Amino acid sequence: MSTRLRDAGQNAGVAPEFTVDPAMLDAISPSGDRGGIVLGSGLKGEPLTVSALRSTPTRIVLVGGLYLARQVALRAMAVGAWVVVATGRPAAWQVLSQAAGSPDGRPSPLVQIRRLSPVELPRPSEDAPLLVVTDGGPTPQDLFPPRSPWQTTVYVLPYLHPQAGATANAADLVLMQRLPAGQAELAARIWRLPPQMMRQLTTLKDDQVVALGRNLWRPLRLVTTQKEQQLLGPVRRGD
């Protein structure tokens, strides 16, 4: 999988600058050219990042609650990305505008909250990558497929639906929170998961996520900074 998880001590894309305690996430500012978004910590507490903003058009599918999706967007903003959110529930995403707002209260041009309809997107670049979030339910419309370098499109799926199989299979990276048994069985069919992986999806805690990709199966724990807690509340599975 070209969208890599990085940690300190593994061979798949070591990123020494991220070898800090997860509690220090507020002090981390990885550069956009490496695309490093701090995603959480491994089972041993080691920080993990995902190369989500990169010179290749990228698709990421999130299966779970709104908390996870908003946290990923906030982390992208922290490394200098433009963020465009296409959603049917704009009020739920205003927290991004609040986080990016200027001291005088004016909204930041770096965050756009849009309806679920095509719009002209900012032109992404290495210095200003673009994260497009499609929050359109379990069978999202592909309104903004990633077609250019430095554009990443995130599809937020509240649950797995059989008609979302094509979107899921096209993803470079999938992040899944806990699934009920029926959903886990569908995940196993979509990604051809063995029984032990399917069962693991049903037993994840509220703050746990599985990162899935080509030759990748990595459980991790979400870590929330103090600033994110003020904006999003505690880590949770639901919205």
Side-chain angles (χ1 to χ4, degrees), residues 170-195:
D172 299 286
L173 178 69
V174 180
L175 301 176
M176 283 188 286
Q177 293 185 280
R178 183 178 63 249
L179 300 179
Q183 291 282 291
E185 291 174 0
L186 177 57
R189 292 196 297 271
I190 292 175
W191 290 291
R192 299 180 180 178
L193 302 178

Side-chain angles (χ1 to χ4, degrees), residues 83-122:
V83 176
V84 176
V85 181
T87 179
R89 44 181 176 178
W93 288 92
Q94 291 304 320
V95 65
L96 299 188
S97 299
Q98 177 185 348
S102 59
D104 59 8
R106 290 183 298 178
S108 169
L110 297 179
V111 177
Q112 299 179 24
I113 311 298
R114 301 285 189 175
R115 295 181 179 179
L116 286 164
S117 58
V119 296
E120 185 176 352
L121 296 174

Side-chain angles (χ1 to χ4, degrees), residues 62-238:
L62 306 184
V63 183
L66 186 60
Y67 175 92
L68 174 61
R70 293 188 299 188
Q71 187 180 53
V72 169
L74 286 171
R75 298 283 170 89
M77 289 166 51
V79 298
W82 296 76
V83 176
V84 176
V85 181
T87 179
R89 44 181 176 178
W93 288 92
Q94 291 304 320
V95 65
L96 299 188
S97 299
Q98 177 185 348
S102 59
D104 59 8
R106 290 183 298 178
S108 169
L110 297 179
V111 177
Q112 299 179 24
I113 311 298
R114 301 285 189 175
R115 295 181 179 179
L116 286 164
S117 58
V119 296
E120 185 176 352
L121 296 174
R123 185 183 300 273
S125 67
E126 182 175 1
D127 294 329
L130 174 64
L131 184 81
V132 181
V133 179
T134 301
D135 178 29
T139 57
Q141 305 175 57
D142 210 0
L143 299 173
F144 306 103
R147 294 195 177 100
S148 61
W150 303 108
Q151 178 185 336
T152 296
T153 298
V154 174
Y155 303 86
V156 181
L157 308 183
Y159 58 89
L160 276 180
H161 189 284
Q163 294 183 10
T167 299
N169 274 319
D172 299 286
L173 178 69
V174 180
L175 301 176
M176 283 188 286
Q177 293 185 280
R178 183 178 63 249
L179 300 179
Q183 291 282 291
E185 291 174 0
L186 177 57
R189 292 196 297 271
I190 292 175
W191 290 291
R192 299 180 180 178
L193 302 178
Q196 65 270 25
M197 290 182 177
M198 181 184 71
R199 288 192 296 269
Q200 188 173 7
L201 290 174
T202 68
T203 60
L204 296 173
K205 297 180 180 178
D206 284 357
D207 65 347
Q208 290 182 321
V209 172
V210 164
L212 171 67
R214 190 172 296 114
N215 300 319
L216 173 68
W217 176 272
R218 187 64 182 268
L220 58 96
R221 183 175 65 86
L222 297 177
V223 178
T224 302
T225 68
Q226 183 176 1
K227 291 180 180 177
E228 288 173 339
Q229 285 186 359
Q230 293 172 354
L231 293 166
L232 304 177
V235 177
R236 57 196 181 277
R237 165 62 178 86

Side-chain angles (χ1 to χ4, degrees), residues 16-28:
E17 68 267 38
F18 298 133
T19 57
V20 297
D21 188 90
M24 297 297 291
L25 291 180
D26 274 329
I28 295 176

